[in-house]
Amino acid sequence: MTQLALVIDLNVCVGCHACVTSCKQWNTSGAAGPLFDENPYDKDPTGTFFNRVQTYEVGTYPNTETIHFPKSCLHCEDAPCVPVCPTGASYKRENDGIVLVDYDKCIGCKYCSWACPYGARELDEKEQVMTKCTLCVDRIYDESLPEAERKPACVMACPTNARLFGDVHDPDSEVSVAIREQGGYPLMPEWGTKPANHYLPRRKTKMHIHEDELVRVDNPLKKEDIRHKTTKDVTLDDWLL
């Protein structure tokens, strides 16, 4: 069975929120919405988000890192939101594995949001129905679009190509190759939901600069000799005050 999904490379995501804004633009105007978005940014926001980017600072100062973590519905292969729905509004499509909500059946009881361990469901305050990422199902099958543009809006908008889209069950697909070769992993697999979306982990890099490579004549660090200490292999960290 085909299982469409997103693969997000945390190594190149810069937290620009282009995916968030493009998602809102498409889902407030596309046929697969509706996305209630009347007051999304004020003190008491009422808009909904299908896609969010959460930013974390990890480590202990001064050795800290900023990590941007995009998150939306993971289109779980064993989606817990589906069996708890009392009206059958939440369902998983057999042909492509996308989890959707039938707004005509949804009564906004929020059972699905309680069952989802990833916080991917939100209530549309205006329509009183539960909403979530649809993988832009109305876009990816739109034959009026050029084939290269039949991708989720967030994938099309990402300036760093941090988002890939495809069939994670096809071993030869771009997403499967990325998962296999770059150590892709699902979010919180311990819940047993088999998330279809995957993340590619950050790859740590370390730059080594030898003292002989610091050739600026007026280098204040070298002139004042205010280095804390040097080692045989001097790194940028060794020159920090």
Side-chain angles (χ1 to χ4, degrees), residues 145-218:
L145 293 173
E147 188 170 352
E149 296 182 12
R150 296 175 201 168
K151 300 176 181 177
C154 60
V155 176
M156 294 295 297
C158 181
T160 63
N161 295 320
R163 289 171 171 258
L164 305 176
F165 171 67
D167 179 9
V168 292
H169 282 184
D170 177 0
D172 297 322
S173 68
E174 181 184 23
V175 287
S176 292
V177 171
I179 293 170
R180 186 167 61 247
E181 295 185 352
Q182 299 182 48
Y185 63 90
L187 184 63
M188 296 193 293
E190 63 271 22
W191 286 99
T193 62
K194 300 179 183 177
N197 285 8
H198 282 66
Y199 293 89
L200 304 182
R202 286 167 57 87
R203 300 177 290 279
K204 284 198 171 183
T205 58
K206 190 172 183 179
M207 180 183 294
H208 291 273
I209 299 178
H210 192 274
E211 187 175 5
D212 293 342
E213 296 177 85
L214 302 175
V215 294
R216 282 177 49 188
V217 175
D218 59 344

